[in-house]
Amino acid sequence: MLNDPRVSASIVLYHSGQRVLDTVRCVQSSEEPVELYVVDNSPQDVTARRISMQCPEAHILPQPRNLGYGAGHNVVLRQLHSTYHLILNPDITFEPALLGQMVAFMDANPDVVILTPRVFNPDGTEQFLPRRAPTVRYLLGGRLGRYSGYFRRMRAEYTLEGATLEVPMEVQYATGCFLFIRSKALYRLGGFDEQYFLYHEDSDLSRKALEMGKIVYHPDFRVVHDWHRDSAHSTRALRNHIVSTWKYFRKWGWAW
C-alpha cells in the first residue's frame, strides 16, 4: 500500500481475459504512483490470480457474484484515501506520463471535477464517444446511423465528431472506460447509481458531477481502448442497454 497516494485506480473484472494484464502493466509503469484496486466479479476465473502475481501490491477484492459495473467500482469507495481516482476499463492502455499530466491539470484547475481523455482504437483511429448528455435521438443515432443520414448526423452531434477539438473544453459526459475524478467528489456523489447494472452509469454520474463543477475533455490526454461494443453483438448486452436507457430517462426526464 502507498502511504499517501495522490492517485488510486479501480478495475472491475468479469471474465476479462488477458487484455487486463496490459492495463495493469500501464498502471504499474505510470510515472505517477497509483494504488490499484481490482474488484473481481468473476472469482471462479483465474484472471485476478494472474494480476496478483504480476502486481503483488494490488488490492484484489473478490465478490460473491457479478455486481455489475458501477456497483463493482463502488466497492472501493470507503477504502480510498487518494486525491484523485481513476475508474478504468480492463481494456485500456496509456503512456507512463499520462496520469502525472492529468494530476497537474487538475491541481491547476480546482473547479474541474472530472477529466476525460481523447480515446483511440488500437489501430490508431479515433473513437468518437459521447460528449453531450444522452437524448433519445442521440442514442438512436448510434443504432440507426448506418441506415439514415439523419441519424448519422445525430450521432456526430452527440459525440462532437467533426468539431475542432484541439484545446480543452467543457463537456456534459465523461466516458466510464477512463474517468479521472476527484476522490472526495466521487465519495460525496455516492459513486455510481447501482440501479444501472451495465450502461449509462457513466452518463448518470456525469450528470450528477456537473452539479459540483466542470467536466473537461482534454485532447492532449490520450488512451487506447480495445472496444468491442458488446451491446451491438450480444442479445443479453442489448437488453441491459435498453433497460439502463429506460432507467436513465425515467430518472432524468425524457428528452428527444
Side-chain angles (χ1 to χ4, degrees):
M1 177 184 291
L2 299 174
N3 291 328
D4 188 21
R6 300 218 62 202
V7 178
S8 55
S10 56
I11 301 172
V12 172
L13 304 180
Y14 184 69
H15 300 294
S16 300
Q18 296 298 307
R19 289 177 299 171
V20 68
L21 299 179
D22 292 329
T23 304
V24 171
R25 194 169 294 111
C26 289
V27 171
Q28 289 179 289
S29 301
S30 172
E31 294 173 6
E32 178 71 37
V34 179
E35 186 162 25
L36 177 62
Y37 297 85
V38 178
V39 180
D40 188 6
N41 277 348
S42 52
Q44 69 277 18
D45 192 71
V46 299
T47 305
R49 291 198 292 274
R50 290 173 177 163
I51 292 173
S52 186
M53 289 187 290
Q54 176 179 311
C55 184
E57 64 273 21
H59 305 273
I60 308 296
L61 305 172
Q63 303 304 306
R65 58 184 176 84
N66 183 7
L67 303 178
Y69 186 80
H73 281 288
N74 286 353
V75 166
V76 310
L77 268 183
R78 294 187 180 278
Q79 301 188 42
L80 299 183
H81 49 107
S82 56
T83 305
Y84 304 108
H85 185 65
L86 173 61
I87 292 163
L88 191 60
N89 262 29
D91 52 7
I92 291 283
T93 53
F94 53 91
E95 293 298 317
L98 176 66
L99 297 184
Q101 293 166 351
M102 297 183 87
V103 165
F105 181 88
M106 294 287 270
D107 283 350
N109 295 274
D111 56 343
V112 177
V113 177
I114 297 176
L115 190 55
T116 186
R118 195 169 185 176
V119 182
F120 291 87
N121 294 301
D123 64 4
T125 57
E126 186 166 356
Q127 283 181 18
F128 293 102
L129 300 177
R131 298 192 179 102
R132 299 183 189 271
T135 67
V136 174
R137 73 178 186 274
Y138 287 163
L139 297 179
L140 288 175
R143 292 286 169 187
L144 303 177
R146 71 184 75 178
Y147 306 113
S148 163
Y150 170 78
F151 286 113
R152 282 195 294 274
R153 291 193 296 274
M154 289 303 98
R155 177 67 185 180
E157 184 177 316
Y158 187 26
T159 64
L160 301 182
E161 182 178 356
T164 301
L165 303 177
E166 300 301 329
V167 296
M169 66 176 293
E170 291 182 46
V171 294
Q172 297 173 307
Y173 171 92
T175 174
C177 75
F178 187 103
L179 193 153
F180 197 74
I181 185 170
R182 296 183 187 275
S183 301
K184 286 184 179 179
L186 182 63
Y187 186 81
R188 284 177 56 194
L189 291 169
F192 289 109
D193 186 336
E194 296 183 10
Q195 72 168 314
Y196 305 99
F197 181 79
L198 187 63
Y199 305 112
H200 283 302
E201 62 283 301
D202 49 3
S203 306
D204 183 88
L205 184 71
S206 297
R207 192 88 173 238
K208 293 188 295 183
L210 285 171
E211 297 173 359
M212 298 181 65
K214 298 176 182 178
I215 299 174
V216 168
Y217 163 78
H218 201 309
D220 293 342
F221 301 148
R222 303 182 174 201
V223 303
V224 175
H225 184 201
D226 192 4
W227 189 31
H228 293 282
R229 293 200 66 182
D230 289 344
S231 70
H233 309 290
S234 161
T235 302
R236 182 178 181 182
L238 176 59
R239 183 170 62 250
N240 283 331
H241 204 165
I242 291 170
V243 169
S244 289
T245 298
W246 182 80
K247 289 179 178 179
Y248 176 85
F249 287 125
R250 183 184 62 177
K251 179 176 179 178
W252 293 103
W254 292 83
W256 173 253

